[in-house]
Amino acid sequence: MKKLLIENFPFLNLSILNSHLSWSITIRWLIIAGYFAATLISYYIFSLAFPYGKIWTVLAVLTLINSIYLVIFKLYKHFSFQSELRFLQIHILVDLIILTILIHYAGGIENPIYLFYAFHVVLSSILFPSWRPILITTFIVIMFSAVVYLEYAGILYHYSIFNSDLHSDAYFIFLVLAVFTITVYVTMYICMSFMYIYRNIKRQLDYQNLQLVQADREKTKFFRFTSHELKAPVVAIKSSIDSILKNYRGTIDGRVEDMLQRSSSRAAQMLQIIRELLELSKNRLRTVEKEKSQIDINQLISEIIDQERVRAEEKSIRIRQDLSRNSLMIHMAAADFKEIFANLFINAINYTHQEGAITIHSGSLEGKVLFSVEDTGIGIAQNDLEKIYDEFYRSENAKKEIQFGTGLGLSLVKQIIENHKGKIHVSSEVNKGSRFEIELPVT
Amino acid sequence: MSHKILIIDDDIDLVEAMRLTLEKEGYEVVDAQDGKKGLEKIAREKPDLILLDVMMETQDEGFHIAYQIRNNPQMSDLPIIMLTAVGQETGFSFDKDKDEDFLPVNEFLEKPVNPDFLLEKIRTALGH
């Protein structure tokens, strides 16, 4: 289910949900203030007969609830995608109940503030995946109808604001409810269709992006292959000629010797051309990929985790994301950051056994961003710790776990971090797990 | 007594080119085309020095062979001269003094190696 959600709803990930939550809390303060101001205006200017005490009590309750949200949001850091989604759903459901109570106190069907339900329909259709918007819209229709019916039947007291008896007029009620129901469902349908198209486009973009990355990888592989394949024959030719020249100098005809010397020089020339070609292609790749810009590392971390989630799920590895609430901006090439995080994250998956766990933290401190990747994997022996960044080095227990590997990943990670004037620190215990901590300056 | 040199390289033409130079110089030369045969030859032929290619069947087969030799108490002192095309290919430069700790070889030479240069390095590695 979790996997399906992520795959089908590309605009949803932890970092996006996180910002929705924070936004939802902020906007609620504004709504409470706005509603309170509106009651003051109606009390002092229009002298409408609302049950002000009750309305203010409800607003006070909402203020308290929102404060609790804020505390949970700030303190409870170990959110998973699922729990954030649930948290956001609770926000919307509680808001709907509060709104229904306020509608009841503000005159029920007489007062057009029931149109505010439309905001929730639109928001939930944009935010929530799959069938949830339908559920929420249905919940809205049922609640509003219930209030209207209970007031009509006299079970709930009707607070009349215009001294009209509209609440007991069955035809009027039927008309309003019918129009209301059609409006919310059509709104929901339009929003969901739009999001469906939007998500499809995003999915296509992601797919094409993946293909581009693969094509790029193929290209690099092709250069590696070419260099080796092209170089090997020339090396053999030059070595053979040089060997003859060294060992038979003086015993062969001077003109033959001269010709062999020329052949050796031409082979050397060809090697130089191969070298330059490779250097050229490498540099070109570098400049294309390495444009620096302001990047949000939380967002990139979430993206990469989404990309690699399938691998973790194959081994039933739990991923805990403890990302900072605020976006963490740094000035760096996105490709470089991805290289760092993807390497560490994929290593964590590779070297963690079934049912293990990986925890990602991120935060900031005095002009630096910090993040860490912690796993419950095979760990690194104490005497291997300082060698893991060496080119081609692979520890013995790493080789036991995964046979193939170039031993270049961590050396590349360290190189990028140091180029960016950052730091990497590792702590590890064999069979307990490893923790890589990275510190990068913001500029 | 002549020294015996084992060349582990999958490029037979390159092996023959080196063999010519080495035999002229009085060394006895044996060869192997891959890492597995190389390790067998080490046990059987007891060479005094190894010329080891980095890339054979896999990208870094030579490195694995070098580690296995160094981790085997019976052959851990065997001098190894590593030959590679990798220097040009990936942009990694090897500094023997700096990299010795993780790359347990006596020399790291980039192909093609000039015959005189190769002989000089072999003499140094053999200690004479």
Side-chain angles (χ1 to χ4, degrees):
Chain A
M1 181 67 198
K2 192 192 274 182
K3 184 170 137 196
L4 263 172
L5 272 183
I6 300 282
E7 275 180 2
N8 290 330
F9 295 89
F11 275 111
L12 271 180
N13 62 35
L14 200 55
S15 137
I16 291 174
L17 273 185
N18 236 324
S19 60
H20 285 332
L21 267 179
S22 146
W23 175 83
S24 152
I25 292 171
T26 312
I27 206 104
R28 200 168 290 105
W29 294 129
L30 292 174
I31 289 169
I32 293 169
Y35 207 102
F36 184 64
T39 58
L40 289 183
I41 290 169
S42 83
Y43 181 75
Y44 287 110
I45 298 175
F46 298 106
S47 307
L48 292 172
F50 287 119
Y52 289 99
K54 283 173 178 162
I55 291 176
W56 290 336
T57 309
V58 173
L59 288 180
V61 170
L62 186 58
T63 307
L64 183 70
I65 291 173
N66 207 32
S67 309
I68 294 170
Y69 289 159
L70 190 66
V71 171
I72 294 175
F73 183 73
K74 291 279 182 211
L75 290 186
Y76 184 57
K77 292 265 180 185
H78 297 293
F79 271 117
S80 70
F81 175 80
Q82 285 293 315
S83 62
E84 295 244 336
L85 199 58
R86 245 174 262 136
F87 194 32
L88 204 56
Q89 267 171 291
I90 290 170
H91 279 204
I92 291 223
L93 290 179
V94 171
D95 285 349
L96 285 173
I97 292 168
I98 299 268
L99 177 61
T100 308
I101 296 171
L102 287 175
I103 287 171
H104 167 60
Y105 288 144
I109 202 160
E110 283 181 42
N111 192 330
I113 62 164
Y114 59 75
L115 291 175
F116 288 174
Y117 280 127
F119 300 145
H120 297 82
V121 172
V122 172
L123 272 179
S124 62
S125 304
I126 291 173
L127 294 184
F128 292 128
S130 59
W131 42 268
R132 287 171 174 80
I134 302 173
L135 206 72
I136 287 168
T137 307
T138 307
F139 183 63
I140 287 171
V141 170
I142 290 172
M143 273 205 308
F144 182 53
S145 307
V147 166
V148 169
Y149 174 75
L150 291 175
E151 286 185 14
Y152 168 76
I155 300 168
L156 273 181
Y157 181 75
H158 174 69
Y159 298 93
S160 186
I161 43 173
F162 299 118
N163 292 321
S164 62
D165 281 330
L166 287 173
H167 71 285
S168 52
D169 182 336
Y171 292 115
F172 179 73
I173 289 174
F174 178 78
L175 182 68
V176 169
L177 283 184
V179 172
F180 177 77
T181 306
I182 293 168
T183 307
V184 290
Y185 276 110
V186 170
T187 307
M188 176 203 79
Y189 175 75
I190 293 171
C191 288
M192 282 176 81
S193 312
F194 177 73
M195 283 309 285
Y196 178 77
I197 296 167
Y198 207 40
R199 289 190 160 115
N200 257 342
I201 293 171
K202 169 79 166 132
R203 214 169 297 149
Q204 267 175 20
L205 277 177
D206 283 350
Y207 175 70
Q208 280 167 358
N209 198 26
L210 190 73
Q211 284 191 321
L212 279 177
V213 171
Q214 271 166 355
D216 194 56
R217 231 173 257 164
E218 285 298 311
K219 199 162 66 181
T220 315
K221 235 166 77 185
F222 174 74
F223 281 127
R224 277 179 159 268
F225 175 79
T226 316
S227 66
H228 191 230
E229 296 304 302
L230 222 55
K231 211 180 156 185
V234 190
V235 164
I237 292 168
K238 186 166 178 351
S239 300
S240 302
I241 297 170
D242 288 351
S243 197
I244 295 167
L245 276 171
K246 167 163 172 55
N247 296 296
Y248 295 98
R249 185 161 278 151
T251 66
I252 43 175
D253 189 312
R255 276 164 61 200
V256 175
E257 196 182 308
D258 181 49
M259 216 174 272
L260 286 174
Q261 192 61 60
R262 283 162 193 267
S263 307
S264 174
S265 305
R266 296 305 293 266
Q269 193 185 350
M270 181 151 173
L271 283 171
Q272 189 56 35
I273 293 170
I274 294 171
R275 242 166 245 167
E276 280 166 10
L277 268 177
L278 278 164
E279 204 52 45
L280 200 72
S281 58
K282 261 192 318 213
N283 285 339
R284 200 171 56 85
L285 281 176
R286 238 173 247 149
T287 47
V288 169
E289 286 171 359
K290 306 281 167 83
E291 292 273 339
K292 282 192 180 186
S293 60
Q294 285 296 116
I295 53 169
D296 176 7
I297 73 160
N298 274 347
Q299 193 195 334
L300 293 176
I301 287 175
S302 290
E303 264 174 35
I304 292 166
I305 292 176
D306 287 349
Q307 270 168 29
E308 305 297 337
R309 192 178 290 277
V310 184
R311 287 205 221 194
E313 275 168 5
E314 276 169 6
K315 295 172 81 177
S316 310
I317 295 172
R318 276 180 300 122
I319 300 172
R320 293 198 337 173
Q321 297 185 60
D322 176 12
L323 303 183
S324 117
R325 294 294 177 189
N326 312 318
S327 50
L328 295 175
M329 305 301 294
I330 58 172
H331 190 68
M332 190 176 189
D336 275 348
F337 183 81
K338 284 183 181 172
E339 186 78 48
I340 297 174
F341 184 75
N343 256 302
L344 295 174
F345 186 59
I346 293 170
N347 271 355
I349 296 174
N350 282 344
Y351 298 115
T352 298
H353 289 157
Q354 293 274 341
E355 314 280 330
I358 298 173
T359 310
I360 316 291
H361 297 265
S362 76
S364 59
L365 183 76
E366 295 163 0
K368 290 178 199 126
V369 297
L370 314 165
F371 67 96
S372 67
V373 179
E374 192 175 347
D375 63 50
T376 58
I378 59 169
I380 305 161
Q382 216 55 38
N383 53 347
D384 280 335
L385 275 181
E386 55 194 63
K387 300 182 205 156
I388 55 170
Y389 302 115
D390 292 335
E391 279 152 12
F392 298 111
Y393 184 81
R394 295 192 67 221
S395 71
E396 284 308 316
N397 58 344
K399 275 184 238 165
K400 252 182 265 162
E401 197 65 24
I402 303 230
Q403 219 181 335
F404 301 104
T406 56
L408 289 174
L410 285 178
S411 103
L412 190 62
V413 165
K414 190 168 189 236
Q415 206 179 312
I416 296 173
I417 291 173
E418 284 175 355
N419 284 346
H420 197 71
K421 309 228 176 334
K423 283 182 196 145
I424 180 165
H425 175 76
V426 58
S427 47
S428 184
E429 203 175 324
V430 172
N431 294 327
K432 288 269 171 64
S434 308
R435 179 186 166 92
F436 285 87
E437 292 165 35
I438 287 84
E439 190 183 301
L440 292 168
V442 171
T443 46
Chain B
M1 188 200 108
S2 75
H3 288 284
K4 192 190 271 186
I5 295 173
L6 171 64
I7 305 175
I8 306 177
D9 196 316
D10 60 352
D11 189 331
I12 189 69
D13 295 323
L14 196 63
V15 171
E16 290 310 312
M18 289 192 285
R19 185 198 297 277
L20 179 63
T21 304
L22 297 177
E23 287 184 347
K24 272 267 176 184
E25 203 67 18
Y27 293 110
E28 193 184 332
V29 176
V30 283
D31 68 280
Q33 266 71 59
D34 62 54
K36 196 164 155 278
K37 288 186 191 132
L39 287 170
E40 285 167 15
K41 284 258 166 110
I42 295 172
R44 191 157 11 108
E45 302 279 351
K46 309 243 176 303
D48 301 294
L49 181 142
I50 298 175
L51 292 174
L52 180 60
D53 183 26
V54 177
M55 279 193 275
M56 286 176 281
E57 278 166 16
T58 60
Q59 290 266 351
D60 52 357
E61 194 180 349
F63 289 101
H64 293 303
I65 304 297
Y67 281 116
Q68 286 186 45
I69 293 170
R70 284 291 176 261
N71 290 331
N72 184 334
Q74 281 171 352
M75 41 175 127
S76 58
D77 293 334
L78 196 56
I80 304 172
I81 293 178
M82 200 164 236
L83 305 173
T84 183
V86 84
Q88 290 314 314
E89 190 192 341
T90 55
F92 295 121
S93 55
F94 289 91
D95 177 350
K96 181 180 151 294
D97 294 331
K98 186 181 138 241
D99 299 329
E100 203 166 30
D101 287 343
F102 81 94
L103 195 64
V105 297
N106 300 58
E107 282 295 343
F108 203 99
L109 304 180
E110 198 206 317
K111 293 176 179 182
V113 188
N114 173 286
D116 288 317
F117 189 63
L118 181 65
L119 287 173
E120 187 194 314
K121 292 294 174 190
I122 289 174
R123 279 194 287 271
T124 312
L126 286 170
H128 65 106

